Amino acid sequence: MRPVRAAAEARSVSSAPAVEARNLFKVFGRNPKDAIKRLKAGQTRSEVADAGTAAVIDASFTVERGEIFVIMGLSGSGKSTIIRMLNGLHDATDGSVLIHGDPITDVPANRLRSIRRERIGMVFQHFALLPHRTVAANVAYPLELRGVAKAERLAKAEEILSLVGLEGWGDKLPSELSGGMQQRVGIARALAADTDILLMDEAFSALDPLIRREMQEQLLELQQSLQKTIVFITHDLNEAMFLGDRIAVMRDGRIVQIGTPEDILTDPANDYVEQFVQDVDRARVLTAANVMERPSPAVVAESAGPRTALRTMRDARMAAVYVTDRARKLIGIVTDRDALKLVRRGDSDLRGALRPAPQSVGVDDVLADLFVPAAESPLPLAVTDAEGRLVGVIPRITLLTALGPQTTDTTEIPVLPEPVPHALIDEVLAEAVVEAVSGESEEVR
């Protein structure tokens, strides 16, 4: 199951964004001011190349507190330049960067160093560990720079190492650890600094695929408890989709789209973004909430009678329906055969024919986790909220269609049980209407 993101709940609505970029430009070269003037006038990156290399062009975005904001793009798109502008390693040629509402562009060097030390941590692609220091000493290094006493900073380092799964490794040298463990040390060092903001520049790209996935999952687990503000740089769209609360897609120095993973996947802003998402693993990005349909064709209320249930099944061409209570909580299913038995016995209460409902799924469950319950369910897969209310259903064909046109093999889709013939249902309903009109039975429910 994709981890539930709680970032929105942790954001402060009364305070400034954690990070804000306003119309950022970065031009390397002999005449950057001229290049920016021409860019603002509408010239392209290539047209101003004689004045300088435009690495970032008019980039604006905000990162809310507690959010994982991913900036992605191919090599040369400008994403790594942006992250270095966010902590002042690169000066902005034009525009501004604000951290918690305070500008870091055009500020004195001592003020910039103070902001970096107190508010911004950095995790690098190639670990950047000090090779002759122990793991614990590496993690404690930011605290050493602050003048924290040795015993206190080493105790803090051991606490953080335990948090990232490296308990007992504090006295080892970095060379004695695997790549994934070294990257954990890098994350632990950033966490030990206890800054609100973490900048992660291609932090997992040097790792083997299996270790990389493990690190992505651990980062999300840490985020659930720590609620840091994270700006994550990557060239891998699947990684961006898995980690990001929101994603900024860059091309040739410009941000071409900002949106949630679902926005990027289902509503790409242009052909460039659409080409990017063609190969993304949709099953790991889209959730039940993205593809579910209204439950009304497949549900009746507990207070409905068996004839109403049969009519619903007939109209929906289904062999069973879900049954909910007054609070819309899912309490079971009733089949056409059981409903027919109730009608023939003259019963008007569905509760005597209720069967346990098949496994339901949550609104935040990713599609990859829905295939087994969908295959085992005799009805469209039920989607429930945290209180157990039925909020939607997912027919198997909808589940397959959501994965894209490449998913066309339906040979493994289980066949639903053969429903009672519609003619028989119509016959029973017709008899009920005649009886109601003649006064020989209760009003059709």
Side-chain angles (χ1 to χ4, degrees), residues 110-419:
N110 60 344
R111 173 60 178 159
L112 179 58
R113 284 194 297 270
S114 175
I115 292 174
R116 284 182 190 151
R117 185 170 58 249
E118 296 172 5
R119 301 186 185 180
I120 306 171
M122 187 86 176
V123 181
F124 299 92
Q125 176 180 356
H126 294 291
F127 318 141
L129 302 180
L130 302 172
H132 302 299
R133 286 179 173 241
T134 65
V135 166
N138 266 280
V139 174
Y141 187 62
L143 301 176
E144 182 180 342
L145 294 178
R146 292 184 187 175
V148 177
K150 183 176 181 179
E152 182 181 348
R153 66 179 184 253
L154 289 179
K156 182 67 173 179
E158 290 296 340
E159 177 186 335
I160 299 296
L161 285 171
S162 177
L163 189 64
V164 299
L166 289 177
E167 186 175 5
W169 290 85
D171 59 348
K172 305 294 184 183
L173 290 173
S175 59
E176 299 177 80
L177 275 61
S178 68
M181 296 170 77
Q182 289 183 49
Q183 193 57 289
R184 283 190 176 91
V185 177
I187 294 174
R189 180 176 58 191
L191 294 177
D194 200 25
T195 59
D196 295 328
I197 300 167
L198 288 183
L199 306 181
M200 305 183 72
D201 187 11
E202 297 275 10
F204 304 146
S205 63
L207 304 176
D208 292 336
L210 289 178
I211 299 175
R212 183 174 185 172
R213 186 66 173 191
E214 181 183 337
M215 292 300 300
Q216 293 166 2
E217 292 172 349
Q218 183 169 43
L219 178 63
L220 290 179
E221 289 174 4
L222 287 170
Q223 179 67 350
Q224 289 296 301
S225 58
L226 299 178
Q227 286 299 302
K228 298 290 185 181
T229 301
I230 300 174
V231 180
F232 193 99
I233 302 296
T234 183
H235 64 273
D236 185 324
L237 182 59
N238 279 308
E239 182 169 67
M241 292 283 185
F242 184 71
L243 292 177
D245 292 311
R246 288 187 301 139
I247 301 169
V249 182
M250 294 195 70
R251 182 187 188 188
D252 296 336
R254 296 183 183 272
I255 294 176
V256 296
Q257 185 172 2
I258 297 177
T260 65
E262 291 79 10
D263 292 336
I264 301 292
L265 186 59
T266 61
D267 190 22
N270 54 32
D271 292 343
Y272 177 76
V273 180
E274 187 172 7
Q275 289 175 356
F276 247 117
V277 303
Q278 282 180 349
D279 297 326
V280 74
D281 185 357
R282 290 170 171 258
R284 296 287 177 186
V285 177
L286 295 176
T287 64
N290 298 134
V291 301
M292 70 184 186
E293 302 174 2
R294 293 178 62 86
S296 52
V299 62
V300 296
E302 179 185 16
S303 58
R307 296 184 181 89
T308 298
L310 283 171
R311 185 182 294 107
T312 300
M313 289 181 237
R314 180 196 63 186
D315 294 343
R317 302 184 65 83
M318 297 170 62
V321 286
Y322 289 112
V323 181
T324 59
D325 64 13
R326 290 184 177 181
R328 294 191 297 113
K329 290 186 178 180
L330 182 60
I331 59 174
I333 67 170
V334 63
T335 68
D336 50 8
R337 287 177 170 79
D338 289 340
L340 280 170
K341 291 177 183 177
L342 291 177
V343 170
R344 296 199 181 282
R345 291 203 306 260
D347 291 344
S348 59
D349 193 333
L350 283 177
R351 284 174 292 187
L354 282 183
R355 297 174 182 243
Q359 178 185 348
S360 62
V361 298
V363 290
D364 292 319
D365 289 357
V366 294
L367 300 194
D369 296 330
L370 308 188
F371 292 103
V372 172
E376 294 175 347
S377 176
L379 286 166
L381 186 60
V383 183
T384 56
D385 62 14
E387 285 73 39
R389 293 188 294 257
L390 183 66
V391 294
V393 295
I394 304 176
R396 277 190 282 265
I397 189 61
T398 300
L399 183 58
L400 292 172
T401 303
L403 298 181
Q406 70 275 13
T407 306
T408 57
D409 183 5
T410 60
T411 56
E412 297 300 321
I413 303 176
V415 178
L416 286 173
E418 184 67 27

